[in-house]
């Protein structure tokens, strides 16, 4: 095993959190689309997409509102996941020790 490699053997907690959040987002959004009559996946998707899911309050009850709401929720999860991944990758980059001359 090469000791010059400063990367840890296991991923950081931020990366595990980002991966878990991304997977939960896919499950919530897909299950909301697959089972529109069920309220639990939709409530989980709304809670996980905060603060972006607050935009649902601006929607009126017109035909196609369910698709618009699902797109808003998927977009909210995607933005939150991207920010979380950015933090995870940024944090792991700062933990690496600098190499002296």
């Amino acid at each position: 095993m090469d000791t010059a490699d400063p990367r840890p053997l296991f991923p950081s907690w931020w990366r595990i959190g980002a991966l878990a959040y991304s997977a939960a987002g896919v499950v919530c959004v897909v299950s909301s689309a697959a089972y529109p009559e069920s309220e639990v996946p939709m409530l989980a998707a709304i809670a996980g997409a905060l603060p972006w899911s607050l935009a649902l309050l601006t929607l009126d009850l017109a035909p196609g509102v369910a698709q618009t709401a699902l797109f808003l929720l998927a977009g909210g999860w995607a933005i939150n996941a991207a920010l979380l991944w950015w933090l995870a990758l940024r944090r792991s980059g700062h933990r690496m020790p600098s190499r002296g001359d």
Side-chain angles (χ1 to χ4, degrees):
M1 185 160 105
D2 187 16
T3 59
D5 188 15
R7 292 181 295 174
L9 185 60
F10 297 102
S12 71
W13 288 108
W14 280 94
R15 288 184 183 185
I16 293 170
L19 182 62
Y21 182 82
S22 300
V26 169
V27 169
C28 285
V29 171
V30 169
S31 62
S32 293
Y35 304 104
E37 66 279 352
S38 179
E39 296 154 357
V40 175
M42 183 63 77
L43 291 174
I46 290 170
L50 281 171
W52 315 108
S53 61
L54 292 175
L56 294 172
L57 296 172
T58 64
L59 297 179
D60 57 346
L61 295 178
V65 72
Q67 288 89 7
T68 305
L70 194 59
F71 286 133
L72 276 171
L73 292 176
W77 275 89
I79 291 169
N80 287 347
L83 290 172
L84 196 57
W85 274 108
W86 178 74
L87 281 172
L89 295 176
R90 183 172 166 238
R91 280 193 160 277
S92 66
H94 284 291
R95 289 179 51 184
M96 294 172 44
S98 61
R99 297 182 188 195
D101 290 345

